[in-house]
């Protein structure tokens, strides 16, 4: 009796027809070695199956990688050490990445699939990997707290306030430790956007509250369902633009969210609809990680070391007699190394600090660690301080360097050209590469920039185009 020949094959039948592992057939389809299903969802015609080369299909598959190993590989790709506010990639997250079509499931459980190591390596090399994970992988409560950079108790307050709602749930069987539990999952994009769409909250205070202290969010009232609305000024604050810009968007774009309340003069709009519109029109971005700064520090006895600062916060004094402070998140080894550099009697010198929103600055000595603080979420935050009168601009170039004119001291100087600030006439005490060992020039200090050479400022102002008010000010910066 003749064996019947199928005209259509599902993936199991196709693999059996070619006598290759099912994982090999799946990878051949996922990698484009054989055409995609042509006879329906997950179904191939006999012509396509018989045209496939079994040896090529078998050879294309390397040993599948388990979900746990793939998760570790993707976590490693996020950075070593793992960036702050970035949770580890879990085995279940790999299942979500497969559902998003970024990886091919070769076998195993659908929630914890086996995948191809080469495809995992390709995904790990993508520069937009953090954004992809945010877009496709939901987060449990603990992971959401880590993504936001707060304690779990602070995240519970976020949920209580109605600022975040579950997008899915997962069932976990703890067996002898509580039985079956339904754990809510939250959109990582929504979590990352919270500091953007809730600008009225002091997120720095929430992220630095010590363990055991009451959450700053506990004093806030929950939003009324259906009443989470924004005025035009509130929309402008989210985008960091003027109210007039939002008025213009509303007039020019027909798809701008419809008014849900308020008056004609002060219309109100649903916050979620506004945020969706702003994202779709590239008016705001999803933060992939907190701002990062770079700090190059030199010890008094020599030796220079570079540090990475997470979410740097620079507080500059109003006058030269005050104290500047720099705080940020550090790794354990960097915190120990920085404390050791600043422990000498001279303190340390900042050769170059580069932080978002500030110009590169340098400090020639007396830099000390004044606070070594661990937040309730487990992060390590250091605060450095130095006399504001020593702050100066770093030299041009990546290497930077301590202030141009050596170590200055505060004193009166007739050559000081500062007419608008009481700088005290800071005077250089060592040889200057721009002026040699002449008696001048005088140094001047300004709240916005620290130490400057008065003579150099005058020289630059005389060669650069100036407005009338700047020329009348005598060239002082």
């Amino acid at each position: 009796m003749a064996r019947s020949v199928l005209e259509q094959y599902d993936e199991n039948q196709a693999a059996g027809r070619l006598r290759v592992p099912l994982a090999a057939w799946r990878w051949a389809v996922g990698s484009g070695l054989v055409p995609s299903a042509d006879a329906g969802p997950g179904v191939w015609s006999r012509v396509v199956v018989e045209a496939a080369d079994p040896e090529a299909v078998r050879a294309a598959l390397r040993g599948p990688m388990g979900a746990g190993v793939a998760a570790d590989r993707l976590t490693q790709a996020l950075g070593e050490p793992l960036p702050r506010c970035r949770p580890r990639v879990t085995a279940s997250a790999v299942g979500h990445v497969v559902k998003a079509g970024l990886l091919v499931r070769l076998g195993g459980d659908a929630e914890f699939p086996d995948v191809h190591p080469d495809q995992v390596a390709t995904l790990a090399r993508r520069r937009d990997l953090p954004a992809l994970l945010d877009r496709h992988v939901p987060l449990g409560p603990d992971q959401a707290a880590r993504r936001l950079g707060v304690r779990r108790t602070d995240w519970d307050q976020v949920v209580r306030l109605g600022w975040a709602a579950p997008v899915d749930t997962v069932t976990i069987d703890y067996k002898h430790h509580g039985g079956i539990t339904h754990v809510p999952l939250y959109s990582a994009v929504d979590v990352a956007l919270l500091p953007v769409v809730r600008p009225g909250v002091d997120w720095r205070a929430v992220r630095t509250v010590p363990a055991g202290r009451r959450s700053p969010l506990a004093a806030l009232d929950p939003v009324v369902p259906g009443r989470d609305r924004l005025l035009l000024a509130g929309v402008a604050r989210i985008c960091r633009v003027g109210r007039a810009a939002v008025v213009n968007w509303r007039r020019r774009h027909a798809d701008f969210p419809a008014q849900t309340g308020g008056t004609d003069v002060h219309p109100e709009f649903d916050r979620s609809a506004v945020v969706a519109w702003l994202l779709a029109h590239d008016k705001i971005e999803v933060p992939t990680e907190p701002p990062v700064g770079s700090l190059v520090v030199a010890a008094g006895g020599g030796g220079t070391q570079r540090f990475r600062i997470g979410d740097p916060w620079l507080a500059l004094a109003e006058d030269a007699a005050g104290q500047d402070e720099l705080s940020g998140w550090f790794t354990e080894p960097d915190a120990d190394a920085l404390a050791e550099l600043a422990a000498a009697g001279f303190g340390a010198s900042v050769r170059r600090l580069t932080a978002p929103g500030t110009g590169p600055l340098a400090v020639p000595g007396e830099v000390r660690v004044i606070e070594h603080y661990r937040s309730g979420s487990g992060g390590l935050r250091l605060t450095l301080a130095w006399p504001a009168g020593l702050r100066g601009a770093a030299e041009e170039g990546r290497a930077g360097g301590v202030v141009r004119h050596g170590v200055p001291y505060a004193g009166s100087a007739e050559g000081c050209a500062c007419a608008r600030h009481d700088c005290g006439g800071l005077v250089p005490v060592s040889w200057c590469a721009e002026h040699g060992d002449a008696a001048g020039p005088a140094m001047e200090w300004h709240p916005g920039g620290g130490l400057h050479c008065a003579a150099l400022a005058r020289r630059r102002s005389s060669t650069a185009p100036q407005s009338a008010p700047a020329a009348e000010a005598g060239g002082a910066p």
Side-chain angles (χ1 to χ4, degrees):
M1 182 176 178
R3 182 170 61 90
S4 62
V5 179
L6 296 176
E7 293 298 324
Q8 296 180 345
Y9 296 80
D10 62 21
E11 59 179 13
N12 288 284
Q13 294 167 330
R17 177 70 179 83
L18 298 180
R19 297 183 179 179
V20 299
L22 175 59
W25 175 260
R26 286 176 173 171
W27 176 242
V29 174
S31 62
L33 184 61
V34 299
S36 56
D38 65 331
V43 180
W44 288 262
S45 65
R46 179 166 65 91
V47 174
V48 170
V49 174
E50 293 184 346
D53 182 352
E55 292 304 320
V57 170
R58 189 178 292 107
L61 178 68
R62 291 172 48 200
M65 175 183 284
V69 178
D72 291 342
R73 177 68 184 87
L74 295 177
T75 297
Q76 184 181 18
L78 292 173
E80 292 288 347
L82 190 66
R84 177 169 169 77
C85 296
R86 180 61 62 179
R88 293 184 61 85
V89 181
T90 63
S92 62
V94 175
H96 289 285
V97 173
V98 168
K99 292 177 184 177
L102 299 173
L103 293 175
V104 175
R105 176 182 170 232
L106 302 182
D109 190 281
E111 293 185 5
F112 309 102
D114 296 333
V115 291
H116 198 287
D118 290 348
Q119 195 176 29
V120 173
T122 299
L123 180 61
R125 288 194 295 268
R126 290 187 57 162
R127 299 185 63 180
D128 61 343
L129 175 62
L132 290 175
L133 294 175
D134 280 345
R135 189 176 308 130
H136 300 296
V137 179
L139 304 176
D142 290 327
Q143 294 170 313
R146 167 82 188 206
R147 184 68 183 86
L148 190 57
V150 301
R151 303 172 302 174
R152 169 60 190 273
T153 183
D154 298 305
W155 173 254
D156 292 340
Q157 291 292 340
V158 168
V159 176
R160 178 190 68 84
L161 291 169
W163 296 352
V167 295
D168 200 355
T169 59
V170 61
T171 301
I172 300 177
D173 188 356
Y174 288 104
K175 299 187 183 300
H176 300 296
H177 301 281
I180 295 177
T181 300
H182 300 286
V183 179
L185 299 178
Y186 301 89
S187 163
V189 169
D190 292 345
V191 175
L193 275 173
L194 277 171
V196 177
V197 303
R198 304 281 176 179
V201 176
D202 186 352
W203 290 102
R204 191 176 305 278
V206 177
R207 287 169 170 162
T208 56
V209 62
R213 296 286 184 87
R214 187 170 183 259
S215 171
L217 302 177
L220 304 180
D221 294 326
V223 297
V224 178
R227 296 281 301 176
D228 192 9
R229 299 174 180 175
L230 287 168
L231 295 169
L232 290 173
V235 180
R237 190 175 181 187
I238 289 176
C239 306
R240 298 184 179 182
V241 298
R243 184 180 182 278
V246 181
V247 173
N248 190 38
W249 296 342
R250 187 187 180 200
R251 183 175 64 251
R252 291 175 53 194
H253 297 277
D255 62 339
F256 193 88
Q259 179 179 344
T260 57
T263 65
D264 291 339
V265 178
H266 300 289
E268 294 178 341
F269 305 88
D270 179 74
R271 186 186 299 267
S272 60
V274 167
V275 171
W277 188 88
L278 295 174
L279 285 171
H281 289 262
D282 295 325
K283 304 300 183 183
I284 58 174
E285 294 181 350
V286 180
T288 55
E289 64 178 60
V292 176
S294 176
L295 178 67
V296 181
V297 177
T304 300
Q305 191 166 345
R306 183 181 297 273
F307 300 94
R308 174 188 172 97
I309 317 173
D311 194 18
W313 179 257
L314 183 62
L316 301 179
E318 293 295 330
D319 57 71
Q323 176 176 270
D324 295 338
E325 293 186 5
L326 168 69
S327 61
W329 301 98
F330 292 81
T331 63
E332 296 272 3
D334 280 0
D336 293 341
L338 188 55
E340 184 177 351
L341 286 173
F346 175 75
S349 294
V350 172
R351 295 191 62 84
R352 187 180 186 88
L353 167 67
T354 306
T358 66
L361 63 83
V363 182
E366 300 190 40
V367 176
R368 301 190 180 280
V369 177
I370 64 171
E371 186 177 27
H372 190 283
Y373 160 80
R374 188 176 297 281
S375 72
S377 59
L380 185 61
R381 192 174 183 88
L382 296 187
T383 301
L384 308 178
W386 57 82
L390 297 183
R391 182 204 334 145
E395 292 179 0
E396 296 180 0
R398 295 185 60 184
V402 176
V403 194
R404 291 195 156 86
H405 300 278
V407 182
Y409 66 89
S412 60
E414 295 180 359
C416 178
C418 178
R420 290 176 292 170
H421 298 276
D422 183 16
C423 68
L426 298 174
V427 182
V429 297
S430 61
W431 185 82
C432 169
E434 292 168 289
H435 304 96
D437 56 1
M443 301 286 282
E444 56 192 30
W445 192 93
H446 292 283
L451 292 169
H452 292 285
C453 168
L456 186 61
R458 286 195 296 271
R459 186 192 313 164
R460 286 179 176 170
S461 65
S462 65
T463 58
Q466 287 187 330
S467 62
E472 294 173 0

